[in-house]
Amino acid sequence: MSEISLSPDGGRIVYVTPQGTRGSSAVVFDLTSDKSSAIGLSDGARLSPVSCGWASSARLICKFYGIGDVGAVRVSYTRLLGFDADGTHALYLGRKSSDSDRINQFDGNVIDWRSGDGKVLMARNFVPSNGAIGSNIRGDYRQGLGVELVDATTGRGQMVERPDTDVDEYYADGQGSIRMKSEMPTHADGQLKGDVIYSYRPTGQAAWKLFSKSLRDDKDSLDPLGVDGTRDVAFAAKRLNGRLALYSVALDGSMKTELVSSNPEVDVASIVRIGRHGRIIGATYVTDRRQIDYFDPEYKKLAASLARALPKTPLIRLLDASADESKLLVYAGSDVDAGTYYLYTKATRKLDGLIDARPELTGVSLGQMSAVRFPAADGTMVPAYLTLPPGGATKGLPAIVMPHGGPNYRDEWGFDWLVQFFAARGYAVLQPQFRGSSGYGDAWFANNGFHSWELAIGDVSDAGRWLVKQGIADPGKLGIVGWSYGGYAALQSNVVDPDLFKAVVAIAPVTDLGRTKDEAEGFSNHDLVERQIGSGENITKGSPARHADRFKAPVLLFHGDTDINVGVGQSRLMDRRLRAAGKKSTLVVFPKLDHQLNDSTVRAELLSKSDAFLRAAFGE
């Protein structure tokens, strides 16, 4: 289930939930009558809804995502549609264009939901169109990213910011004004330089003024995360002692900058907003668990009260609020609880349970997740999460090392469906936050897990060795399972140490670094991907598909054939090379599915086949 949204009057919620195997529906729940109705939005064949929000208490705007072919290139695209709360009066809210010079890939994004009068500020991608041949009617030649005030009922838009081809993003202040923008310069051939230029409008002025420049190799940039119009400030991230900290920056023209939140161990991860105007009330960071540093006194006090009221579900988030902030949507969960959504009413201080995030798991015992540290070969202590199967077994277990994707990512303490499946089947699961993971500062990031793959893969392998040394894992029943970059790590770890893991499950993995660079050919980020991956011997040494002869463990590969993050050709190449080298390899390709494999039947098949494969490899 996606995050839920509260109507401006606080009377209804809406959330997107699976319907069938690949389809989705929006569920509208009336908080007064306790009645719900489902709006079928997609069968999953083309477009799938990502989220829905309230333009007014009677009108919804839903964002859809899809993948399509443009010539020989497969690309993603988004579309916005408006609906009445009962699902009627559907209306496409993007800009209609015919005879256009190029495709309209991302046609709209709500950047300010405003007070709930049915009109929202929407960043729209303008695509130029020409007049019909032989006609005296001029075409619309506006192009680039602009902002319009859009009526969600009629679709009519009023121009707020004229389209600009150089602009990548606009920042609204929650008060109906656009106060910041970002531009991403390109080379003459259209390739991104990797720089970002941020501009802002000082209070009461129309002209833009430089806010900051984030240059490609700059380690001291000031990168805005959001604007709070109620305080007339921007909140921005900047490094402090090698880690990202949060600063407030005055938008009155003085650029007065003050430190708001920092942590000596980890980066500040994000800002926390509340209400339809998006007031910024706090910042988050993740040590062993995600923490929220509230700098709004009212919400800091409320968060403390909620923590006392819900001690068994310490992952508490404020998700949304009514227009007057008298009612709040609250989520609370933990490692062994997928979570519950609540409605909090300020006037009565009452907390009412609404819906469970995963009602199917009610009464099911889950494995507890613990934060641990293990030593890498060079003595560095690597953070990780260890989940043991429910029931109390702790020694001599079948075990899995599960490196995360990204690699610019990190795992967190909390419910994880993939981890919990394997724990329920009796496996110990260790998730290493290897060097190359994000969130731990510049030194830990170590130039990312592709460019510095030897360091990252070394930590992943050391995670397996630690499981064996601690007696948690039976050395003959140690496997590795990963998705995306995690799949790459699972495969490459067997190139580095073929004897350590006895079975490999790789889901949508990168298998050849050179091919990854080739997949970015024709896209504006090709140069950036090339810099991330590296070149020379790094490509040859760091590509598991080029070392299939070293594998001893059997390999199981899964991939969707419409994956645009990592092409299915990567898994096909790995499978072909392994088979040619006389190794055991099985490839399962899922038709018409992308990187996330969002199909309940397919995910169930993936889990059951992975379990059976691991048990067979372990001789069970």
Side-chain angles (χ1 to χ4, degrees), residues 124-139:
R124 280 178 155 176
N125 185 28
F126 286 72
V127 177
S129 60
N130 299 315
I133 296 176
S135 169
N136 293 322
I137 301 175
R138 294 183 61 190

Side-chain angles (χ1 to χ4, degrees), residues 375 394-395 465-473:
T394 61
K395 299 295 182 179
R465 297 185 186 100
W466 180 81
L467 281 171
V468 172
K469 186 175 181 179
Q470 295 298 308
I472 297 170

Side-chain angles (χ1 to χ4, degrees), residues 497-513:
D497 187 348
D499 294 309
L500 179 61
F501 297 106
K502 309 309 177 187
V504 184
V505 178
I507 308 163
V510 169
T511 69
D512 188 282
L513 300 185

Side-chain angles (χ1 to χ4, degrees), residues 56-376:
S56 70
S57 294
R59 189 72 175 167
L60 294 166
I61 295 178
C62 297
K63 185 175 184 177
F64 292 75
Y65 170 87
I67 294 174
D69 294 323
V70 180
V73 180
R74 184 165 286 163
V75 298
S76 61
Y77 62 98
T78 60
R79 296 291 182 261
L80 288 178
L81 281 82
F83 300 89
D84 284 351
D86 61 0
T88 60
H89 301 104
L91 179 69
Y92 172 57
L93 297 177
R95 292 192 61 84
K96 299 180 178 66
S97 59
S98 58
D99 191 27
S100 59
D101 290 347
R102 57 184 173 84
I103 65 165
N104 187 356
Q105 191 173 352
F106 305 109
D107 69 355
N109 191 41
V110 177
I111 59 175
D112 191 336
W113 290 93
R114 302 176 74 246
S115 61
D117 63 357
K119 295 181 179 180
V120 298
L121 280 180
M122 188 183 297
R124 280 178 155 176
N125 185 28
F126 286 72
V127 177
S129 60
N130 299 315
I133 296 176
S135 169
N136 293 322
I137 301 175
R138 294 183 61 190
D140 184 352
Y141 296 103
R142 295 176 296 182
Q143 63 175 317
L145 193 67
V147 178
E148 289 187 317
L149 180 63
V150 178
D151 188 314
T153 301
T154 66
R156 296 189 183 95
Q158 175 185 342
M159 190 68 68
V160 174
E161 295 290 336
R162 296 193 64 79
D164 189 328
T165 54
D166 293 329
V167 176
D168 173 68
E169 186 176 3
Y170 289 101
Y171 299 76
D173 65 357
Q175 307 296 305
S177 298
I178 304 299
R179 298 295 301 279
M180 299 192 74
K181 65 178 180 179
S182 65
E183 300 171 67
M184 300 181 69
T186 59
H187 296 287
D189 61 358
Q191 285 294 311
L192 293 170
K193 293 182 177 180
D195 304 335
V196 186
I197 300 172
Y198 299 101
S199 303
Y200 79 106
R201 283 194 174 111
T203 309
Q205 299 182 27
W208 292 103
K209 187 175 181 179
L210 178 66
F211 181 86
S212 66
K213 291 183 179 181
S214 180
L215 304 181
R216 187 171 64 185
D217 298 314
D218 184 11
K219 293 292 186 180
D220 196 36
S221 59
L222 184 66
D223 301 324
L225 302 179
V227 177
D228 188 336
T230 64
R231 300 174 58 179
D232 200 23
V233 299
F235 286 88
K238 186 177 181 180
R239 284 171 175 81
L240 176 65
N241 300 323
R243 292 174 177 81
L244 291 176
L246 185 69
Y247 294 81
S248 67
V249 184
L251 297 181
D252 59 4
S254 69
M255 286 286 291
K256 180 182 178 182
T257 303
E258 296 181 356
L259 177 64
V260 176
S261 181
S262 66
N263 184 277
E265 298 178 12
V266 295
D267 297 330
V268 167
S270 62
I271 53 177
V272 178
R273 294 181 179 271
I274 194 67
R276 296 186 63 82
H277 298 291
R279 287 197 304 116
I280 299 171
I281 60 171
T284 71
Y285 57 89
V286 186
T287 50
D288 289 341
R289 300 184 185 184
R290 182 168 289 267
Q291 311 287 337
I292 301 179
D293 180 10
Y294 287 100
F295 40 78
D296 180 285
E298 177 191 359
Y299 284 100
K300 184 174 184 178
K301 182 179 179 180
L302 174 59
S305 297
L306 291 171
R308 289 192 296 270
L310 302 167
K312 294 183 179 181
T313 49
L315 295 180
I316 298 173
R317 289 180 288 146
L318 304 178
L319 301 178
D320 202 359
S322 57
D324 61 2
E325 294 187 30
S326 64
K327 295 182 178 180
L328 307 174
L329 268 178
V330 179
Y331 165 86
S334 74
D335 56 337
V336 294
D337 188 332
T340 299
Y341 296 90
Y342 299 89
L343 181 71
Y344 178 76
T345 305
K346 287 184 179 180
T348 61
R349 300 177 64 185
K350 187 178 181 183
L351 189 67
D352 294 308
L354 298 178
I355 51 175
D356 292 329
R358 291 180 180 260
E360 314 87 13
L361 293 178
T362 301
V364 176
S365 296
L366 300 178
Q368 290 188 338
M369 179 184 286
S370 302
V372 298
R373 298 283 194 277
F374 65 87

Side-chain angles (χ1 to χ4, degrees), residues 480-540:
I480 185 166
V481 177
W483 200 313
S484 194
Y485 179 88
Y488 164 80
L491 293 165
Q492 186 65 6
S493 65
N494 282 261
V495 175
V496 173
D497 187 348
D499 294 309
L500 179 61
F501 297 106
K502 309 309 177 187
V504 184
V505 178
I507 308 163
V510 169
T511 69
D512 188 282
L513 300 185
R515 190 181 185 104
T516 299
K517 294 201 293 186
D518 292 342
E519 287 178 358
E521 193 72 48
F523 291 90
S524 61
N525 68 339
H526 176 262
D527 288 356
L528 303 184
V529 172
E530 194 165 71
R531 290 187 78 249
Q532 180 192 39
I533 298 298
S535 57
E537 67 175 11
N538 187 66
I539 299 297
T540 301

